[in-house]
Each structure stands twice: as C-alpha cells, then as structure tokens.
Amino acid sequence: ALQQAGWVRGLITQNVDRLHHRAGSRPVVELHGALAEVECLACRTLVDRNEVQADLHELNPGFCEEAAGQVAPDGDADLPKAAVERFRVAPCRICGGVLKPNVVFFGENVPRQTVDAAWRTWDEAPAILVLGSSLTVFSGFRFVKRAARDGKPIAIVNLGPTRGDDLSELKVDVPLEERLPALAETLAAG
C-alpha cells in the first residue's frame, strides 16, 4: 500500500521468502537471495525450487511418507539412518552439478550485482525506512550507516533494539502489524 501510494519507491530486503513479491512490491532487491530458486554451483543455472522438489520426489519414492512424523516444528528432523543412506540428491539438469538454494549462507558474500542493485535503489531514496530488522547483519546495516554518514533521514520500526537506533531520526518500538497499517492509512488520508 505504501508503494502504491508513492511513499515507498523501492525495497531492499534480507528476507528470502518472496513475500514482498506476493504483496505486490516492485522493485524488490533480495539481498540474501530467495528460497524459491536453486542454483547450480558448477554452471550457475538458476531453476525454480519446485522443479528440484519434483526431481527429489522422483529420485526418492516413499521418502516423505517414511519421514512423516519425524519433522519438528522448526524443520529439524531425526530420520532413520537407513532413510538418510538411501536418499539421492538431485543433480543439475543441465550439467549434473551440485545444487544449493539461491540464498546467501552465513559466511558467504552477497553477489556484486545484487549489492549494485541495492545501491541503485538506495541512491533513488530521499529517506530510509527500516521495517522489522534488528540490522544485526552488516549486509543490511551498511545502507543505514551510509545514510547516516550522508545525512539521509532514517526511520526504524522494529520491536526491540536495532543496530541502527543511534543513527536514526525516528525509532518506533512496536510490532509492525500494529504500526504499519496505521501508517499506511494516515499517509493515504493525506
């Protein structure tokens, strides 16, 4: 709603769930990639995760039924050793290489083209609005740091402290689900 009303021009996110896309946000720079895509580490081909899931189901018939009930709410699983030993990993359909989710894991760098796209979005912004991030990870915090250095206004809405609190002109310490709809309504009213 904030984008459609013209208050937000672009979005840089650390989320990997594509929910910003589903909400209609455009453009969105995904700093840490997206779980909806899988990348081949050899040929760098990107494929839809659903294709890989289909390959995994085909390569491992009955695995999901065998693992059912073993998965904890956080996604961890205590699987029988035999099931793990039988499991076959899907290779890249193009070159047979190893696949990984198209996300930046801890210790990896954000790809240069993604950083460049984020800086272009930052350059076009008259101010920075941080929503729902502690800014603990430097890949997001760097934009706030530079905004503070360059005199670009910063507002943060987050429940709890953030790494950027001392750099912001405004810090609102409330859950987003309380404040964001009210902000959208206020701005829409003029």
Side-chain angles (χ1 to χ4, degrees):
L2 292 173
Q3 254 188 330
Q4 289 173 354
W7 290 100
V8 173
R9 297 181 186 160
L11 195 137
I12 302 168
T13 185
Q14 297 175 123
N15 296 347
V16 296
D17 54 19
R18 288 266 160 98
L19 291 178
H20 293 298
H21 293 275
R22 288 180 54 197
S25 296
R26 301 288 186 282
V28 177
V29 177
E30 296 171 310
L31 275 182
H32 296 157
L35 285 171
E37 298 172 338
V38 177
E39 179 183 25
C40 175
L41 296 177
C43 70
R44 297 296 182 206
T45 298
L46 282 179
V47 296
D48 187 276
R49 181 179 172 171
N50 292 326
E51 291 179 31
V52 177
Q53 287 296 132
D55 290 348
L56 288 170
H57 283 290
E58 187 176 315
L59 289 168
N60 300 285
F63 181 82
C64 289
E65 293 75 21
E66 188 175 357
Q70 307 295 324
V71 179
D74 64 358
D76 284 349
D78 187 12
L79 300 173
K81 185 177 180 182
V84 173
E85 289 172 350
R86 277 194 315 273
F87 190 83
R88 294 178 55 206
V89 177
C92 173
R93 291 180 179 181
I94 306 298
C95 74
V98 175
L99 301 173
K100 97 177 226 330
N102 188 29
V103 296
V104 176
F105 289 159
F106 288 103
E108 291 182 328
N109 292 320
V110 175
R112 176 87 256 154
Q113 69 271 19
T114 303
V115 173
D116 291 345
W119 282 121
R120 283 191 300 275
T121 299
W122 185 94
D123 286 337
E124 294 172 8
I128 303 299
L129 175 61
V130 177
L131 300 172
S133 174
S134 65
L135 298 170
T136 301
V137 179
F138 187 75
S139 58
F141 180 55
R142 72 175 106 189
F143 300 102
V144 172
K145 253 184 103 151
R146 185 159 158 203
R149 184 194 76 196
D150 292 357
K152 194 176 277 202
I154 303 162
I156 299 173
V157 182
N158 188 65
L159 185 59
T162 80
R163 195 173 177 188
D165 289 353
D166 293 343
L167 303 175
S168 67
E169 282 75 18
L170 174 66
K171 168 62 183 345
V172 181
D173 193 347
V174 298
L176 284 179
E177 63 270 16
E178 285 179 19
R179 186 53 50 207
L180 212 48
L183 175 62
E185 284 179 29
T186 300
L187 292 173

